[in-house]
């Protein structure tokens, strides 16, 4: 019979593997629900309802979609480079999921605390573009080729701007370690966005371009290139690209949260009289659950009524569990982290449904003539200010 | 077999000089139907454009020769599915000219009211799809929200949302139900606010300006030389609007301006069409307010279908009904050309009658067909994204091009 200490020991060793397993197993489902969220947000902005048929309020739509994509015929066009075509969609998924390894969901939950975490993520997202390039090239078709070319040029340009923004934030933090960056924010009591508003702006724009999101969705601009690099893909392989896209969005939003919004910290982590904010997860979940129960009464079919009711009850139960003082400590970190990421993702969606699309050369112009010089200037000012602070402030 | 196919479509062979041949269409999200553009591309630059049409050929002009004049009205809807009423009007006016028949004033006002609603309908679809082509997805749904109300108004008068066939030789089909007027008035009341809403999203949007300003510009001289008409011409600075210059169907009784711009680029076309929407609201409001009382059909029993009630109580009405339905009405021999200002430009019907109840020949001068010719002129040497913006801005309807 192992002792309690032994079990705890094992758990500490097993923790990264458990988190890894959870991410790989649960993430496809979660990204499916991000897609549902996107469709609902889009519908809300466009005076419509969005998916409503599968399950109550379309809540089972992602599962139906995934199932459909899985059982579709696997089409490999006749004149493609078969092996590259086969492997290309795997690359971006692989790299995106690898990047998850250094995301600190809270000070407890992360797979690896890497002292070059930020660089690791940037490296991984850069490799991801290889999948797009290869996919476009291997398809042996005009539209995918053009899409891949655009994608390559775009990612190379915006990587630089993004790098400048990230470096500025890292300079303020004084660390490349994702966990430490958050801890520095806790220590200074201020989110880095207040030190680096321009840096955040550059990061946001570059991240939208990096993840091929509108208004920078050139590589898959449907009105020009049909579906860009994905034109020849269908079924499961297409779904992999889709998964990679949403994983990338999650990753870049997580970096933004970590670098600029204090990661897993709740707002004003050091202000004692705001401690009631620790109850926010519980209150919010109970509120959502109550909303579900209210909507359950409005469902037309009995199955939907029961489904919505059970969902509401489950959410309320989880919310109440989150209200237990002992549990709060464990859940508030991941809650705030995911909440901030969700807000960021919402901003991405908002931009997508509001702005027209840039033209390819204008995008390059914006990147090279505005974003990169701005990033450099921001870096310079940040450096000078830090120097001044070190020289005169701490000398006293 | 394969060799003959290739020789028929010689342009499908790989382009020379390291250029990439790209077949944009016939199934492509932004060719607005089944237009096919054979592009020769140097990277992202379009070197040459060859529009290929005919994928939507319906043979309407030929079919018209075997139909009576009343039956042809239903064909004209299908030439341009976005502006059925203006098509109806052009054909009906041409026939009335041959017959020397004058519709009653109420019918004229109704026609103008519905014509302007049709123009709004068509411009809304244009704005929505044009914005969609440039990546502004939400505009589409906003425009379709308002279009829905217009389609409901169409349904109220004709029972159909799109293929209305509401106009008749000598008037319109029936008196609209009373709530129609109230509903139209309410719609025209709030519609200008909705146009403001569209404009807040686009008119001063930095990305929209970048994508449309200075793109695919066409000078007034070129536009006239290529026979371009409609908003595309007016954006180049030529104030040619048949409603003003050659008034038809009573447009001379209405107060409105003809918006023009001088730049001739995609942005100018956008501004002209948006301004036109506001003018259309003005005209439609005047038509609603000045709507005279009276019948909606001319008093010409051998041409105009009798009302249902009269048909059931009067012998003559029944006889006329039978004759019109079975053999149509005879139209004096002669030929006529009647052009109107459709939302896309000058839409003209040329009808030759040999004195029977069928047109001997009908030809339709469609604006999209002529406007499309100017596409290579506007876009060669530009980027493929500009080409997409330009196709959207000249507002083509493929049914009308191929007819």
């Amino acid at each position: 019979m192992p002792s309690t200490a032994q079990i705890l020991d094992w758990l500490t060793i097993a923790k990264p593997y458990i988190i890894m397993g959870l991410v790989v197993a649960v993430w496809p489902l979660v990204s499916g629900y991000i897609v549902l969220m996107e469709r609902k947000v889009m519908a809300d902005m466009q005076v419509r309802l969005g998916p409503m048929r599968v399950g109550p309020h379309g809540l089972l739509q992602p599962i139906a979609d995934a199932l459909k994509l899985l059982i579709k015929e696997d089409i490999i066009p006749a004149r493609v480079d078969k092996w590259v075509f086969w492997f290309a969609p795997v690359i971006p998924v692989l790299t995106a999921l690898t990047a998850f390894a250094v995301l600190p969901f809270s000070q407890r939950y992360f797979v690896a605390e890497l002292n070059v975490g930020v660089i690791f993520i940037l490296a991984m997202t850069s490799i991801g573009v290889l999948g797009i390039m290869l996919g476009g090239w291997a398809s042996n078709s005009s539209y995918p080729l053009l899409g891949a070319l655009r994608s390559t040029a775009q990612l190379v340009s915006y990587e630089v701007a993004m790098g400048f923004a990230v470096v500025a934030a890292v300079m303020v933090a004084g660390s490349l370690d994702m966990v430490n960056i958050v801890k520095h924010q806790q220590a200074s009591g201020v989110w880095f966005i207040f030190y680096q508003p321009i840096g955040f702006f550059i990061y946001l724009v570059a991240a939208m371009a990096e993840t091929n999101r509108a208004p920078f969705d050139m590589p898959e601009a449907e009105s020009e290139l049909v579906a860009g690099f994905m034109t020849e893909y269908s079924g499961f392989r297409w779904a992999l690209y889709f998964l990679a896209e949403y994983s990338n969005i999650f990753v870049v939003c997580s970096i933004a949260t970590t670098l600029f919004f204090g990661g897993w910290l709740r707002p004003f982590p050091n202000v004692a009289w705001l401690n009631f904010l620790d109850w926010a997860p519980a209150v919010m979940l109970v509120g959502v659950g109550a909303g579900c129960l209210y909507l359950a009464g409005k469902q037309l079919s009995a199955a939907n009524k029961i489904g919505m009711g059970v969902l509401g009850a489950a959410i309320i139960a989880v919310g109440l569990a989150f209200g237990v003082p002992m549990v709060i400590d464990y859940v508030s970190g991941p809650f705030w982290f995911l909440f901030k990421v969700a807000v960021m993702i919402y901003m991405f969606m908002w931009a997508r449904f509001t702005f027209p699309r840039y033209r390819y050369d204008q995008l390059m112009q914006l990147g090279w003539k505005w974003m990169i010089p701005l990033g450099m200037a921001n870096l310079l000012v940040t450096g000078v200010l830090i120097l001044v602070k070190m020289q005169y402030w701490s000398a006293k | 077999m394969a060799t003959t196919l290739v020789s028929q479509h010689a342009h499908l062979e790989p382009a020379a000089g390291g250029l990439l041949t790209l077949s944009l269409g016939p199934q492509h999200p932004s060719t607005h139907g089944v237009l096919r553009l054979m592009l020769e591309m140097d990277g992202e630059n379009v070197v040459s454009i060859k529009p290929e049409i005919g994928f939507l050929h319906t043979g309407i002009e030929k079919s018209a020769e075997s139909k009576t004049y009343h039956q042809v009205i239903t064909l004209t809807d299908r030439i341009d599915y976005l502006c059925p009423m203006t098509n109806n009007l052009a054909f009906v006016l041409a026939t009335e000219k041959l017959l020397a028949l004058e519709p009653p004033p109420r019918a004229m006002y109704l026609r103008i009211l519905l014509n302007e609603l049709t123009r709004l309908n068509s411009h809304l679809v244009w704005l929505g799809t044009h914005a969609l082509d440039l990546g502004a997805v939400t505009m589409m749904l906003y425009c379709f929200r308002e279009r829905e109300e217009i389609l409901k108004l169409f349904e109220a008068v004709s029972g159909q949302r799109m293929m209305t066939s509401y106009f008749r030789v000598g008037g319109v089909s029936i008196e609209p139900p009373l709530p129609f007027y109230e509903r139209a008035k309410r719609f025209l009341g709030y519609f200008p606010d909705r146009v403001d809403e569209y404009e807040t999203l686009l008119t001063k949007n930095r990305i929209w300006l970048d994508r449309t300003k200075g793109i695919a510009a066409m000078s007034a001289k070129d536009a006239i030389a290529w026979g371009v008409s409609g908003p595309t011409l007016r954006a180049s600075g030529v104030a040619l609007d048949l409603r003003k210059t050659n008034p038809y169907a009573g447009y001379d009784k209405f107060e409105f301006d003809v918006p023009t711009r001088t730049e001739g680029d995609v942005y100018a076309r956008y501004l002209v069409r948006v301004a036109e929407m506001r003018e259309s609201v003005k005209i439609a409001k005047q038509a609603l307010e000045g709507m005279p009382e009276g019948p909606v059909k001319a008093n010409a029993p051998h041409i105009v279908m009798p009302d249902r009630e009269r048909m059931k109580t009067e012998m003559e009405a029944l006889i006329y009904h039978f004759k019109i339905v079975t053999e149509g009405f005879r139209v004096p021999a002669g030929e006529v050309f009647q052009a109107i200002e459709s939302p896309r430009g000058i839409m003209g019907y040329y009808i030759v009658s040999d004195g029977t109840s069928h047109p001997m020949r009908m030809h339709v001068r469609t604006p999209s067909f002529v406007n499309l010719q100017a596409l290579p002129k506007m876009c060669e040497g530009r980027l493929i994204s500009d080409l997409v913006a330009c196709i959207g801005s000249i507002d083509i309807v493929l049914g009308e091009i191929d007819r």
Side-chain angles (χ1 to χ4, degrees):
Chain A
M1 190 73 192
S3 68
T4 325
Q6 258 176 323
I7 292 178
L8 278 178
D9 224 30
W10 291 345
L11 270 182
T12 325
I13 294 166
K15 196 180 74 182
Y17 301 100
I18 296 172
I19 295 173
M20 230 145 64
L22 266 178
V23 165
V24 172
V26 176
W27 174 248
L29 189 69
V30 175
S31 68
Y33 275 90
I34 293 179
V35 176
L36 179 67
M37 172 180 155
E38 172 152 37
R39 291 173 70 176
K40 284 289 187 185
V41 169
M42 166 155 66
D44 184 43
M45 288 181 186
Q46 299 179 344
V47 284
R48 15 183 221 110
L49 290 173
M52 289 293 277
R53 292 297 170 121
V54 192
H57 278 262
L59 280 175
L60 298 178
Q61 186 72 40
I63 293 163
D65 285 346
L67 215 65
K68 182 202 78 176
L69 288 170
L70 281 176
I71 58 177
K72 263 189 153 179
E73 187 191 347
D74 179 22
I75 300 171
I76 295 185
R79 283 197 281 174
V80 300
D81 189 335
K82 204 172 157 198
W83 290 107
V84 183
F85 188 82
W86 181 86
F87 190 63
V90 181
I91 300 171
V93 177
L94 215 66
T95 55
L97 286 181
T98 315
F100 272 73
V102 290
L103 298 182
F105 294 99
S106 86
Q107 61 201 112
R108 284 197 189 78
Y109 307 119
F110 48 84
V111 176
E113 186 176 353
L114 219 58
N115 55 5
V116 286
V118 175
I119 294 180
F120 178 76
I121 291 185
L122 286 182
M124 277 304 145
T125 47
S126 309
I127 296 176
V129 70
L130 201 63
I132 293 177
M133 278 165 63
L134 289 179
W137 179 252
S139 295
N140 192 12
S141 167
S142 316
Y143 288 115
L145 182 66
L146 285 171
L149 284 174
R150 283 180 175 196
S151 186
T152 314
Q154 176 178 336
L155 286 149
V156 168
S157 328
Y158 276 81
E159 200 94 296
V160 184
M162 194 174 181
F164 278 124
V166 168
V167 167
V170 166
M171 275 164 71
V172 177
S175 167
L176 282 168
D177 181 336
M178 301 283 276
V179 178
N180 267 340
I181 290 172
V182 179
K183 283 185 178 158
H184 280 289
Q185 297 187 52
Q186 189 164 21
S188 68
V190 182
W191 289 353
F192 285 164
I193 184 173
F194 296 108
Y195 290 144
Q196 283 294 335
I198 297 171
F200 173 66
F201 171 72
I202 297 169
Y203 180 85
L204 189 71
V205 174
M208 279 180 189
E210 181 88 11
T211 47
N212 297 335
R213 294 290 288 183
F216 308 109
D217 57 343
M218 244 63 39
E220 46 194 306
E222 81 284 342
S223 57
E224 293 155 27
L225 301 184
V226 189
F229 59 91
M230 299 196 286
T231 308
E232 300 291 342
Y233 281 90
S234 61
F236 189 61
R237 273 168 234 298
W238 181 84
L240 279 182
Y241 270 127
F242 218 59
L243 178 65
E245 182 179 334
Y246 282 87
S247 311
N248 272 327
I249 292 167
F250 189 86
V251 169
V252 293
C253 288
S254 303
I255 304 176
T257 304
T258 312
L259 286 182
F260 299 103
F261 290 101
W264 65 78
L265 303 173
R266 71 166 160 81
F268 307 103
N270 309 326
V271 184
W273 63 270
L274 281 173
N275 274 350
F276 67 85
L277 277 177
D278 283 340
W279 295 89
V283 173
M284 201 174 277
L285 283 177
V286 170
V288 170
C292 286
L293 286 184
Y294 169 72
L295 284 174
K298 289 188 154 191
Q299 297 301 311
L300 294 177
S301 77
N304 281 357
K305 264 188 182 136
I306 295 169
M308 205 69 170
V310 170
L311 182 72
I315 294 178
I316 288 181
V318 174
L320 290 177
F322 279 13
V324 178
M326 237 173 65
V327 180
I328 284 179
D329 199 29
Y330 288 89
V331 295
S332 81
F335 171 82
W336 283 113
F337 183 84
L338 293 175
F339 181 73
K340 288 169 187 172
V341 171
V343 171
M344 285 286 297
I345 292 178
Y346 182 85
M347 280 177 67
F348 269 52
M349 292 172 182
W350 194 357
R352 174 174 173 190
F353 305 129
T354 308
F355 294 124
R357 181 183 300 118
Y358 262 113
R359 206 172 66 198
Y360 172 65
D361 60 323
Q362 289 163 351
L363 173 89
M364 288 292 145
Q365 231 165 51
L366 184 78
W368 289 101
K369 290 193 184 161
W370 291 100
M371 286 301 152
I372 291 175
L374 193 66
M376 282 165 136
N378 184 45
L379 206 62
L380 195 71
V381 172
T382 310
V384 169
L385 285 180
I386 290 177
L387 204 66
V388 168
K389 192 182 159 204
M390 268 160 59
Q391 289 283 319
Y392 300 101
W393 205 291
S394 41
K396 278 179 199 169
Chain B
M1 189 68 202
T3 41
T4 47
L5 268 180
V6 170
S7 60
Q8 270 171 6
H9 296 269
H11 50 276
L12 270 178
E13 284 160 15
L19 298 179
L20 172 76
T21 306
L22 188 67
S23 166
L24 195 87
Q27 275 82 37
H28 186 279
S30 58
T31 50
H32 294 243
V34 282
L35 170 67
R36 183 193 207 182
L37 299 172
M38 294 307 297
L39 307 179
E40 280 183 4
M41 311 259 303
D42 180 10
E44 292 261 333
N45 287 306
V46 179
V47 177
S48 78
I49 306 172
K50 287 190 194 115
E52 201 178 305
I53 60 170
F55 290 96
L56 205 60
H57 183 64
T58 41
I60 283 176
E61 288 179 359
K62 185 71 187 166
S63 307
E65 291 168 18
S66 57
K67 301 238 181 296
T68 67
Y69 283 85
H70 263 148
Q71 288 168 336
V72 174
I73 295 174
T74 59
L75 289 180
T76 62
D77 290 329
R78 281 140 181 95
I79 286 181
D80 182 347
Y81 45 84
L82 291 181
C83 44
M85 302 272 195
T86 50
N87 279 308
N88 288 174
L89 182 68
F91 174 76
V92 163
L93 281 179
T95 315
E96 280 168 1
K97 227 187 216 178
L98 274 174
L99 288 163
L101 184 70
E102 184 82 3
R106 189 177 177 82
M108 303 236 292
Y109 270 69
L110 264 174
R111 283 177 178 182
I112 285 179
L113 169 65
L114 287 162
N115 249 282
E116 293 313 311
L117 285 177
T118 308
R119 198 177 308 278
L120 290 180
N121 170 30
S122 173
H123 279 6
L124 281 173
V125 174
W126 159 77
L127 181 57
T129 50
H130 183 40
L132 185 70
D133 284 346
L134 295 182
V137 269
T138 305
M139 272 309 289
M140 170 101 178
L141 278 296
Y142 285 179
C143 290
F144 272 57
R145 176 184 60 190
E146 269 68 73
R147 178 177 185 247
E148 185 62 28
E149 183 61 24
I150 296 178
L151 292 185
K152 278 183 182 148
L153 289 172
F154 286 177
E155 197 179 358
V157 294
S158 70
Q160 291 284 335
R161 286 158 61 85
M162 284 177 77
M163 302 297 140
T164 51
S165 301
Y166 178 59
F167 296 171
R168 294 285 185 278
V169 178
V172 298
S173 140
I174 48 165
E175 168 73 32
L178 274 180
F180 164 78
Y181 298 104
E182 205 41 54
R183 201 165 172 174
K185 202 172 165 189
R186 203 167 53 235
F187 171 76
L188 293 170
Y190 70 66
F191 185 73
D193 294 341
R194 298 291 165 87
V195 179
D196 292 343
E197 196 180 327
Y198 308 150
E199 288 215 75
T200 54
L201 272 171
L202 296 179
T203 305
K204 290 200 176 106
N205 185 319
R206 190 69 242 167
I207 305 178
W208 182 259
L209 290 174
D210 280 352
R211 285 301 304 275
T212 55
K213 260 203 164 161
I215 305 299
M218 195 169 213
S219 68
K221 198 168 149 261
D222 279 344
I224 293 170
W226 283 86
V228 169
S229 61
T232 318
L233 176 66
R234 291 193 284 276
S236 295
V238 185
L240 177 72
D241 186 328
L242 292 191
R243 290 175 294 174
K244 264 284 196 251
T245 53
N246 307 52
Y248 56 88
Y251 266 108
D252 44 350
K253 298 192 192 81
F254 290 81
E255 293 267 325
F256 63 99
D257 299 324
V258 177
T260 54
R261 303 284 299 183
T262 49
E263 299 88 343
D265 56 4
V266 175
Y267 187 61
R269 286 169 211 149
Y270 159 78
L271 288 178
V272 163
R273 286 208 180 83
V274 170
E276 258 180 33
M277 282 203 244
R278 296 186 194 276
E279 294 302 320
S280 285
V281 172
K282 249 199 248 170
I283 302 173
K285 271 185 179 158
Q286 290 173 41
L288 260 183
E289 279 155 18
M291 184 81 63
E293 292 298 318
V296 293
K297 294 175 186 174
N299 184 19
H302 57 294
I303 294 168
V304 178
M305 214 64 104
D307 288 333
R308 212 70 198 157
E309 292 75 32
R310 284 186 50 222
M311 210 184 89
K312 286 175 181 162
T313 50
E314 292 171 25
M315 185 70 172
E316 292 79 12
L318 187 62
I319 292 170
Y320 279 128
H321 179 268
F322 181 79
K323 290 200 68 145
I324 293 172
V325 170
T326 51
E327 58 193 48
F329 51 83
R330 281 168 203 287
V331 173
E335 55 187 282
V336 68
F337 179 74
Q338 172 68 46
I340 63 153
E341 188 71 29
S342 100
R344 267 161 269 292
I346 296 174
M347 160 76 86
Y349 277 67
Y350 173 66
I351 301 174
V352 182
S353 167
D354 54 359
T356 63
S357 57
H358 307 264
M360 193 190 111
R361 174 81 176 94
M362 183 177 96
H363 172 70
V364 191
R365 189 270 185 209
T366 53
S368 300
F369 178 71
V370 183
N371 291 358
L372 181 69
Q373 289 183 93
L375 182 74
K377 165 90 187 143
M378 288 188 264
C379 289
E380 277 180 355
R382 294 197 154 273
L383 293 171
I384 187 170
S385 311
D386 294 339
L387 173 65
V388 167
C390 183
I391 297 174
S393 78
I394 56 176
D395 190 17
I396 48 169
V397 162
L398 265 294
E400 192 197 64
I401 290 172
D402 296 341
R403 51 203 188 274

